[in-house]
């Protein structure tokens, strides 16, 4: 820990250290938890498929891409895709499955990205972020999205027994391992100052007993940069 606070980044780094982080390398290597995105690690999100089917875009970035199921799908649909994840194990597995994606093993919030994109996608990273890093996250989206660009999000929904249901102050007391849940109102509050809200809805029931059948506890969102 740095002995002095000289800039905002020092405060952010201090807050990063106040909560326990999941070891994502261990998560992907041991595969001890039967998460749907591990079991069906080549099946894209239903809302992503719907968005790609109905919009014309050429460049995309994914935050927290895991083993590349969504990034790989976008690349197969002809998009130029850059995908970030902090897990070396996940990125290495992703590279074995798709050679058409620019996979990068790095914290996307600290990556100093200079490219811009038509579309940004996040399937599960936001609900694992600490509250102060949500500020960094929204700033990054504003910086890298082209004018009128889109942002798609999938996250835990409040009231459905998935993520921790805590406010931002409680988060720093509990650590909220396993992710936090959001209400529709909180998602609107977070993003409406910077994005037009196209939709916030529950994940549609798709293929039963797969990641495309998670309608009971996931929100999917589509925003457009103002």
């Amino acid at each position: 820990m740095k002995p002095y606070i000289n800039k905002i980044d020092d405060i952010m780094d201090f807050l990063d250290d106040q909560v326990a982080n999941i070891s994502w390398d261990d998560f992907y290597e041991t595969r001890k938890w039967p998460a749907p995105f591990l079991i069906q690690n080549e099946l894209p999100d239903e809302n992503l498929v719907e968005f790609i089917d109905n919009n014309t875009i050429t460049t995309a970035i994914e935050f927290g891409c895991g083993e590349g199921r969504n990034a790989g799908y976008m690349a197969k649909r002809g998009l130029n895709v850059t995908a970030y994840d902090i897990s070396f194990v996940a990125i290495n597995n992703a590279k074995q499955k798709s050679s058409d994606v620019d996979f990068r093993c790095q914290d996307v919030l600290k990556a100093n990205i200079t490219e811009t994109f038509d579309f940004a996608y996040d399937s599960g990273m936001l609900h694992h972020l600490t509250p102060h890093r949500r500020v960094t996250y929204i700033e990054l989206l504003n910086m890298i999205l082209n004018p009128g660009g889109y942002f798609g999000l999938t996250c835990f929904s409040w009231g459905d027994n998935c993520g921790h249901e805590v406010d931002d102050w409680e988060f720093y007391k509990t650590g909220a391992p396993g992710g936090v849940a959001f209400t529709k109102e909180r998602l609107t509050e977070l993003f409406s100052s910077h994005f037009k809200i196209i939709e916030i809805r529950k994940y549609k029931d798709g293929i039963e007993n797969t990641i495309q059948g998670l309608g009971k506890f996931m929100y999917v969102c589509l925003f457009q940069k103002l």
Side-chain angles (χ1 to χ4, degrees), residues 22-29 31-45 62-70 85 87 90 93-94 97 121-125 127-128 154-156 178-179 203 209-214 217-218:
I22 296 172
S23 172
W24 289 106
D25 277 337
D26 180 68
F27 180 90
Y28 283 103
E29 189 163 28
R31 308 181 96 80
K32 291 184 292 187
W33 297 274
F37 61 86
L38 287 181
I39 298 169
Q40 291 102 34
N41 62 0
E42 295 188 5
L43 191 65
D45 292 342
E62 184 176 8
F63 295 177
C65 67
E67 295 178 321
R69 60 188 181 84
N70 289 312
D85 201 280
S87 169
N93 290 344
K97 295 191 296 180
Y121 191 63
D122 171 6
S123 181
M125 178 176 147
H127 58 223
H128 287 294
T154 301
C155 65
F156 292 147
Y203 207 108
N209 298 320
T210 75
I211 200 166
Q212 289 195 351
L214 302 179
F217 63 89
M218 301 293 285

Side-chain angles (χ1 to χ4, degrees), residues 32-140:
K32 291 184 292 187
W33 297 274
F37 61 86
L38 287 181
I39 298 169
Q40 291 102 34
N41 62 0
E42 295 188 5
L43 191 65
D45 292 342
E46 63 87 5
N47 54 303
L48 177 64
V49 175
E50 181 180 275
F51 175 79
I52 299 299
D53 283 346
N54 292 292
N55 292 273
T56 302
I57 56 174
T58 59
T59 57
I61 182 171
E62 184 176 8
F63 295 177
C65 67
E67 295 178 321
R69 60 188 181 84
N70 289 312
Y73 174 78
M74 288 190 282
K76 288 178 182 177
R77 293 295 300 272
L79 278 67
N80 185 344
V81 183
T82 302
Y84 283 83
D85 201 280
I86 61 172
S87 169
F88 171 81
V89 176
I91 288 293
N92 188 55
N93 290 344
K95 287 180 177 179
Q96 305 308 309
K97 295 191 296 180
S98 178
S99 60
D100 297 326
V101 176
D102 181 5
F103 287 111
R104 302 178 184 181
C105 184
Q106 194 173 1
D107 183 343
V108 68
L109 300 182
K110 301 179 181 180
N112 297 316
I113 299 169
T114 58
E115 307 102 309
T116 59
F117 304 88
D118 300 327
F119 179 55
Y121 191 63
D122 171 6
S123 181
M125 178 176 147
L126 176 70
H127 58 223
H128 287 294
L129 288 183
T130 52
H132 64 281
R133 283 299 178 188
R134 296 174 197 155
V135 177
T136 311
Y137 178 100
I138 293 170
E139 288 176 346
L140 176 61

